[in-house]
Amino acid sequence: MLLKTVLLPLTAAGFGAAAGLWDLTSASLDGTLVMLAIAGFLLSVAAPRQWGVWVLVIGVGVLLAHVVTPARPGMLFDLTVVSGLVAAAVSLLPAAVGAVAALAVLWVLRPNRPVRVYAAPLAQPAKTTLVQRGAQAAQRAADHMGRLNGGRLNGGRFNGGALPGQPTLDVGD
């Protein structure tokens, strides 16, 4: 509980602040983008359900780094805030790419992970795997398509026959 409520948000803001400071001191943008993508990846592996929160907190960390640092010579304060807002908005993209990459890796590594499904508000949650949920969704979609076509799939009454006027592979044809 403490990990997800305190430590991970502080880590995300720290990653963002470090990337923001790197952005302010470095002449190239490559290192900043890599830092943001790695931060999004690591935090999304740690808590995949909150990946969007981590991306936003990383962006806030970049903004704070730009706002807190003193203005460079010849810059107005307003331009520092504006450049911080622009940098924070731009930082969301590489952080989101890293987070989505982490979700893809997690999905490939554990596709059969149990997922809680609530059938009724007071019922006990049933555990199904991601593959089972996909198969159930495909079956529901096929059932809905059958109803939309007026029950004309599979010979008119879902009995396995051919559509009227269509050739079949039966031996009798």
Side-chain angles (χ1 to χ4, degrees):
M1 181 75 174
L2 181 67
L3 177 73
K4 287 186 181 178
T5 58
V6 176
L7 187 61
L8 285 177
L10 288 176
T11 304
F15 275 139
L21 290 173
W22 183 275
D23 183 39
L24 287 171
T25 59
S26 176
S28 83
L29 188 61
D30 299 342
T32 306
L33 297 178
V34 169
M35 287 175 68
L36 291 167
I38 290 174
F41 185 88
L42 292 175
L43 289 165
S44 294
V45 166
R49 290 188 182 195
Q50 291 87 14
W51 71 272
V53 173
W54 306 139
V55 169
L56 292 175
V57 173
I58 289 170
V60 168
V62 170
L63 175 65
L64 289 175
H66 277 263
V67 170
V68 171
T69 56
R72 292 177 292 263
M75 259 184 115
L76 299 173
F77 175 74
D78 293 336
L79 294 179
T80 304
V81 173
V82 170
S83 71
L85 288 172
V86 170
V90 169
S91 71
L92 296 177
L93 182 64
V97 167
V100 170
L103 294 177
V105 166
L106 289 175
W107 184 71
V108 167
L109 291 179
R110 26 180 215 181
N112 294 329
R113 181 176 179 214
V115 179
R116 292 183 182 263
V117 178
Y118 292 95
L122 299 177
Q124 289 290 348
K127 289 191 175 187
T128 59
T129 64
L130 187 60
V131 174
Q132 290 170 338
R133 287 185 64 193
Q136 291 167 356
Q139 182 64 43
R140 283 193 305 269
D143 291 343
H144 289 297
M145 289 304 294
R147 284 190 216 111
L148 287 175
N149 288 332
R152 294 187 179 235
L153 288 177
N154 297 329
R157 297 286 177 233
F158 302 119
N159 59 2
L163 292 173
Q166 298 292 322
T168 64
L169 297 176
D170 291 341
V171 177
D173 285 344

